């Protein structure tokens, strides 16, 4: 997926529902078909353990907390009292010529209830009980790690199939060092198949989390296609998918809504800054790097996640068409630009995001060309290594609000009235070093935290105080005289109150 996502997080998202809430709600005065009626013996919230005494005639809905998908386009979920079905609409199978329409579904049945016999005809690619038990999961990509950490389910990661050299999470590294998490690193297809089959045989309730482009699919495999979503909130909404594996729909939904609220707040404020300070003239941003393999410039193609960031920061991204350029990559593939084409395309951008880890080598190779770019002249070139070299790939998806704030910050359309916002991801390649993550793991059971800045939606900058001590220069010259403003950001908390008949939490 290009350049995917570790953050030190400040705000904890504690589990919103106590395990004590598995107590029954009994309704005796309403008929079962009455809206709001609770079946006698039904749990008040999704169970975090197995059903102890199952009555097939009770008609109990064991999943009162359900997922509502708002942004994602490539998956769906349906609930059927004792089981739920998740369907990946982009379950790409390499051998299938019509791969993009090949669905991949998994059936998750409540532990302690029987498997639904009428569904066991091969229509589902995996049938697993939930919440996931001791056999846990096998991960195959670093981007999957943060979802489990955000749910407080890091200990469910029993194996990692891939090179642990690219893992950023200090706690997962500790688990691997202590053999609590097994690793297997090989790109040989037969070796991958043999290892995975042996793992499933030894851990029959384990679930393998894989991508839609995996060359081999184990029996118990869930395909995650968040990389195919074209918006950042659509990609992050797959977090609800992960939550459903542990019956944590309520927690995953609450986390998503908090993150997305901040995302939308930062976007709204960026639009206000652009309209007020720049008279509606959007800053121009370039997203490109030089491919030494193909010998050409790889430039943003929309729609994609970086296009979505530019859009929400009210910026103009200098993207290209699929076949724009003269450098052929491979037969039927997209084209890249040569130096002359790239100069004409991107030299006027105020800001350049260089999504690779080799700026210094590229600049040395292409100095004469790059020195003609406004972004280079003004030292406004950034890569993704401010946190560390690999953290971007591991945690960007779950850090959508923080990355957006960073993106708006390098365009100078965020926080004009407050002390300078300290970016977390985008490193100025001229003035900042590649970051390093603190390797200390204080608590392996701790929930992933966020350092996202709080945000309050603003409608005008006219009455905001001016911070005359700020030393940050705007990306564009303001259209009005005076100091460049910095918007104070404090969080908008959208309180949601749910009244349940005789039950409160």
């Amino acid at each position: 997926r290009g350049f995917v996502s570790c953050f030190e997080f400040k705000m904890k998202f504690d589990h919103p529902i106590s395990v004590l809430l598995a107590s029954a709600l009994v309704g005796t005065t309403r008929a079962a078909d009455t809206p709001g009626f609770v079946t006698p013996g039904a749990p008040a919230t999704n169970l975090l353990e197995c059903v102890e005494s199952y009555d097939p005639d009770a008609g109990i809905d064991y999943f009162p907390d359900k997922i509502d998908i708002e942004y994602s386009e490539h998956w769906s979920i349906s609930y059927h009292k004792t089981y739920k079905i998740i369907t990946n609409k982009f379950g790409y199978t390499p051998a299938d010529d019509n791969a993009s329409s090949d669905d991949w579904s998994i059936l998750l049945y409540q532990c302690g209830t029987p498997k639904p016999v009428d569904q066991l005809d091969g229509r589902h690619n995996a049938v697993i009980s939930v919440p996931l038990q001791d056999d846990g999961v096998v991960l195959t990509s670093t981007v999957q790690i943060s979802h489990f950490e955000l749910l407080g389910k890091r200990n469910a990661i029993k194996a990692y199939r891939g090179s642990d050299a690219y893992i950023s999470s200090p706690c997962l590294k500790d688990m691997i060092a202590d053999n609590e998490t097994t690793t297997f690193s090989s790109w040989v297809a037969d070796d991958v198949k043999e290892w995975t089959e042996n793992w499933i045989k030894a851990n029959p309730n384990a679930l393998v989390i894989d991508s839609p482009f995996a060359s081999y699919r184990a029996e118990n495999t869930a395909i995650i296609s968040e990389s195919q979503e074209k918006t950042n909130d659509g990609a992050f909404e797959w977090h609800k998918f992960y939550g459903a594996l542990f019956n944590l729909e309520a927690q995953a939904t609450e986390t998503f809504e908090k993150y997305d609220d901040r995302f939308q707040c930062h976007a709204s404020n960026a639009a206000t800054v652009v309209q007020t300070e720049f008279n509606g003239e959007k800053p121009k941003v370039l997203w490109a790097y030089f491919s030494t393999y193909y010998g050409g410039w790889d430039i943003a193609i929309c729609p994609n996640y970086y296009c979505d960031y530019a859009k929400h920061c009210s910026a103009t991204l200098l993207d290209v068409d699929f076949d724009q350029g003269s450098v052929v990559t491979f037969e039927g593939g997209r084209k890249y630009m040569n130096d002359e084409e790239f100069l004409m395309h991107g030299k006027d951008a105020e800001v350049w995001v260089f999504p690779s880890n080799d700026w210094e080598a590229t600049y040395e190779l292409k100095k004469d060309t790059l020195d003609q770019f406004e972004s280079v002249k003004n030292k406004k070139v950034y890569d993704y290594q401010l946190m560390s070299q690999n953290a971007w790939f591991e945690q960007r998806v779950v850090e959508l609000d923080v990355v957006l704030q960073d993106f708006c910050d390098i365009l100078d359309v965020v926080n004009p009235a407050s002390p300078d916002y300290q970016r977390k991801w985008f490193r100025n390649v001229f003035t900042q070093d590649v970051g390093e993550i603190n390797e200390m793991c204080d608590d392996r059971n701790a929930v992933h935290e966020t350092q996202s800045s709080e945000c309050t939606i603003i409608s005008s900058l006219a009455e905001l105080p001016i911070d005359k001590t700020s030393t940050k220069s705007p990306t564009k010259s303001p259209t009005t005289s005076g100091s460049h403003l910095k918007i104070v950001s404090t969080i908008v908390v959208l309180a949601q109150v749910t009244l349940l008949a005789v039950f409160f939490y």
Side-chain angles (χ1 to χ4, degrees):
R1 174 182 181 121
F3 310 97
V4 189
S5 70
C6 171
F7 245 69
E8 290 181 26
F9 284 76
K10 268 188 183 175
M11 182 181 296
K12 270 194 176 181
F13 290 93
D14 295 325
H15 194 298
I17 303 170
S18 169
V19 293
L20 297 177
L21 301 184
S23 58
L25 286 179
V26 180
T28 59
T29 61
R30 293 177 290 181
D33 58 354
T34 301
F37 175 76
V38 180
T39 304
T45 188
N46 293 1
L47 298 179
L48 304 183
E49 54 192 15
C50 295
V51 173
E52 293 184 358
S53 181
Y54 173 66
D55 180 0
D57 298 322
I60 292 175
D61 180 1
Y62 286 99
F63 307 110
D65 299 324
K66 296 175 172 61
I67 287 172
D68 179 28
I69 300 174
E70 302 176 60
Y71 300 102
S72 295
E73 297 181 352
H74 294 303
W75 70 287
S76 64
I77 185 169
S78 60
Y79 291 87
H80 309 272
K81 293 189 175 180
T82 62
Y83 65 95
K84 46 194 170 185
I85 298 171
I86 300 181
T87 301
N88 183 332
K89 303 174 186 178
F90 193 94
Y92 179 88
T93 304
D96 187 352
D97 292 335
N98 191 28
S100 63
S101 61
D102 184 22
D103 291 349
W104 185 275
S105 68
I106 60 173
L107 184 148
L108 307 172
Y109 67 96
Q110 173 61 46
C111 177
T113 70
K115 297 179 182 180
V117 177
D118 63 335
Q119 295 288 319
L120 304 180
D121 55 4
R123 73 182 73 177
H124 302 295
N125 302 96
V127 178
I128 297 287
S129 65
V130 290
L132 294 183
Q133 301 299 309
D134 294 341
D135 286 351
V137 296
V138 178
L139 302 190
T140 59
S141 172
T142 57
V143 71
Q144 300 157 0
I145 296 171
S146 297
H147 288 287
F148 288 88
E149 296 186 325
L150 194 56
L151 288 167
K153 291 295 182 179
R154 184 185 294 110
N155 288 334
I157 306 173
K158 302 301 182 181
Y160 183 79
R161 200 181 70 197
S163 174
D164 59 354
Y166 299 104
I167 294 176
S168 296
S169 168
C171 290
L172 185 55
K173 286 182 177 181
D174 278 4
M175 291 168 61
I176 292 172
D178 292 343
N179 295 318
E180 294 181 20
T181 298
T182 300
T183 60
F184 175 78
S185 180
S186 174
W187 299 107
V188 179
D190 289 343
D191 292 345
V192 171
K193 180 178 180 181
E194 180 181 5
W195 181 89
T196 307
E197 289 178 347
N198 288 337
W199 184 271
I200 296 298
K201 186 180 297 183
N203 306 276
N205 293 314
L207 187 65
V208 179
I209 310 295
D210 218 330
S211 83
F213 307 108
S215 59
Y216 166 69
R217 305 283 176 85
E219 179 181 352
N220 294 2
T221 297
I223 300 300
I224 304 292
S225 299
E226 65 186 0
S227 63
Q228 300 308 300
E229 301 289 348
K230 302 306 181 185
T231 65
N232 292 288
D233 38 18
F236 180 50
E237 196 165 25
W238 282 79
H239 183 65
K240 298 178 183 179
F241 185 120
Y242 290 94
L245 301 178
F246 299 95
N247 286 352
L248 294 177
E249 279 92 335
Q251 177 184 344
T253 295
E254 181 181 10
T255 298
F256 173 81
E257 289 177 349
K258 287 180 178 179
Y259 280 47
D260 193 56
D261 284 347
R262 288 195 295 268
F263 184 87
Q264 302 300 336
C265 179
H266 292 314
S268 175
N269 290 348
T272 299
V273 174
V274 169
Q275 188 62 40
T276 303
E277 291 202 22
F278 304 150
N279 198 28
E281 183 183 352
K282 297 181 177 182
K284 295 187 291 293
V285 58
L286 178 66
W287 184 286
Y289 77 100
F290 183 74
S291 170
T292 55
Y293 185 83
Y294 289 115
W297 291 95
D298 183 349
I299 306 168
I301 291 181
C302 294
N304 215 314
Y305 74 91
Y306 39 75
C307 313
D308 190 54
Y309 281 125
K311 171 187 173 182
H312 281 85
C313 288
S314 294
T316 297
L317 183 70
L318 303 183
D319 62 327
V320 297
D321 296 328
F322 185 80
D323 59 353
Q324 190 173 345
S326 60
V327 179
V328 178
T329 55
F330 56 91
E331 185 177 356
R334 62 163 298 185
K335 293 181 178 179
Y336 291 173
M337 286 187 171
N338 60 30
D339 291 353
E340 292 75 18
E341 293 166 336
F342 182 53
L343 177 62
M344 292 301 297
H345 177 77
K347 63 183 177 65
D348 294 329
E350 291 98 356
V351 173
W352 179 359
V353 177
F354 184 86
S356 187
N357 61 2
D358 60 348
W359 166 259
E360 288 77 11
T362 300
Y363 182 66
E364 183 177 352
L365 181 66
K366 302 290 183 179
K367 185 178 185 303
D368 290 343
T369 298
L370 300 186
D371 281 345
Q372 301 177 61
F373 282 66
E374 287 300 313
S375 55
V376 176
K377 293 177 183 177
N378 296 324
K379 294 185 173 15
K380 299 283 286 185
V381 181
Y382 303 84
D383 65 17
Y384 53 74
Q385 299 184 96
L386 187 55
M387 177 61 68
S388 74
Q389 187 171 12
N390 294 317
W392 171 263
F393 302 95
E394 184 171 316
Q395 296 190 4
R396 177 190 60 77
V397 172
V398 304
E399 291 285 343
L400 75 165
D401 55 334
V402 185
V403 177
L404 179 67
Q405 193 171 11
D406 264 28
F407 201 100
C408 293
D409 183 71
I410 64 177
L411 294 167
D412 225 29
V413 295
V414 65
N415 291 344
S418 66
D420 289 348
Y421 167 70
Q422 300 299 312
R423 291 189 309 277
K424 314 301 192 301
W425 290 112
F426 292 121
R427 176 186 76 108
N428 188 306
V429 299
F430 296 105
T431 63
Q432 295 176 300
D433 296 328
V434 175
E436 295 183 4
I437 292 177
N438 182 355
E439 295 295 330
M440 294 290 294
C441 173
D442 297 324
D443 183 1
R444 296 182 186 180
N445 296 314
V447 176
H448 199 41
E449 300 176 0
T450 181
Q451 286 189 342
S452 175
S453 294
E454 299 176 345
C455 183
T456 295
I457 294 178
I458 59 173
S459 58
S460 173
L461 304 186
E463 298 181 359
L464 288 178
I466 297 175
D467 179 7
K468 296 183 179 180
T469 65
S470 176
T471 59
K472 187 169 183 177
S473 300
T475 295
K476 302 172 73 72
S477 298
T479 55
T480 57
S481 61
S483 299
H484 188 61
L485 300 177
K486 290 280 171 191
I487 303 170
V488 177
S489 290
T490 49
I491 196 164
V492 171
V493 178
L494 302 177
Q496 297 177 331
V497 179
T498 304
L499 299 177
L500 301 176
V502 291
F503 170 73
F504 298 91
Y505 65 84

